[in-house]
Amino acid sequence: MSERRDFDQASGFGSPTSNRLDPGSGRPAASAAGPAASAASGQGDAPSNPAASGPSGSASAAPGSGSATPGSGSAATGSASAASGAPPATGPESVLTCAACGKKNRIRPSDRGVPHCGSCGKPLPWLVNATDATFDLEAKAAVTVLVDLWAPWCGPCRVVGPILEELARDFAGRIKVVKVNVDENPALAARFGATSIPTLVVIRNGRVLDRIVGALPKSQLTIRLTPYLLRT
């Protein structure tokens, strides 16, 4: 299977929305991107209040739902044990909660294997936070890495966050979700050209394979990601 696969975003993926960032400040601009497409697609914008609703039109939710927090089943940054194989000596610590038994596991980034629960041995949902300083460590993994460029004020980001948590559980052992708050990490936002958020970047073996801009429903996002999650 080819490492790069092109998708037609103009058909079958609805009209997800995103918040456009101001190039100078990195803060929300006055409009939001239209149908999900690659950041370079140039498709039209629709008016949007960045603090308002996501694609569903509902009022804004609590900022950062879907972001990782200690003990929530996702991640926290710090310093301790390893994902798999020999424990790395350094690197940010993450706390991952096993979806099977509820055990909390402390791990560090590893480019070998995937994290497994120390209690029941099941693969762990691998979702972590990364910063400008820790991203390169977190992005090195034996599985597909999905980078989520988001911000707390972004309504569509709050829609995508819980979906990514579900996908991390559904595809435990096959995907690593790395969340990056663009307000706090402008260098990464610039590195990936995140002019609208949410922007999802699919990385495998250090190569960018795909970009998804805007909030897709879980079913459509799963279809989009499946080619990169197949075991080869």
Side-chain angles (χ1 to χ4, degrees):
M1 181 180 67
S2 170
E3 286 190 342
R4 170 82 190 193
R5 180 170 176 179
D6 296 324
F7 293 85
D8 179 9
Q9 295 198 6
S11 61
F13 295 109
S15 298
T17 62
S18 63
N19 283 120
R20 185 167 294 280
L21 302 180
D22 180 79
S25 66
R27 298 298 299 170
S31 63
S38 128
S41 65
Q43 294 190 10
D45 296 331
S48 172
N49 180 348
S53 62
S56 63
S58 60
S60 61
S65 73
S67 65
T69 55
S72 69
S74 300
T77 56
S79 226
S81 63
S84 66
T90 60
E93 178 190 272
S94 296
V95 179
L96 308 182
T97 300
C98 179
C101 70
K103 173 78 173 181
K104 291 181 175 62
N105 297 260
R106 296 180 181 276
I107 64 104
R108 291 187 190 273
S110 176
D111 58 1
R112 293 176 292 168
V114 295
H116 286 73
C117 179
S119 178
C120 70
K122 299 289 187 182
L124 292 168
W126 205 356
L127 187 151
V128 303
N129 286 318
T131 66
D132 288 338
T134 65
F135 178 81
D136 287 336
L137 280 173
E138 295 289 8
K140 292 179 181 178
V143 295
T144 296
V145 174
L146 180 63
V147 182
D148 175 25
L149 298 154
W150 70 288
W153 48 261
C154 168
C157 298
R158 296 193 296 269
V159 173
V160 169
I163 293 174
L164 297 184
E165 291 185 347
E166 292 178 14
L167 291 178
R169 291 192 295 269
D170 294 347
F171 296 100
R174 286 191 276 171
I175 191 171
K176 179 178 184 179
V177 178
V178 178
K179 297 180 67 67
V180 175
N181 183 332
V182 297
D183 284 351
E184 298 175 353
N185 303 283
L188 285 170
R191 174 173 167 181
F192 289 106
T195 56
S196 295
I197 54 174
T199 291
L200 304 179
V201 182
V202 181
I203 299 175
R204 186 70 189 253
N205 297 324
R207 295 180 56 192
V208 173
L209 302 182
D210 201 359
R211 295 170 61 90
I212 303 166
V213 179
L216 292 179
K218 181 182 177 182
S219 60
Q220 295 173 6
L221 186 54
T222 300
I223 292 171
R224 184 70 178 268
L225 294 175
T226 294
Y228 309 113
L229 304 179
L230 297 175
R231 292 188 173 94
T232 56

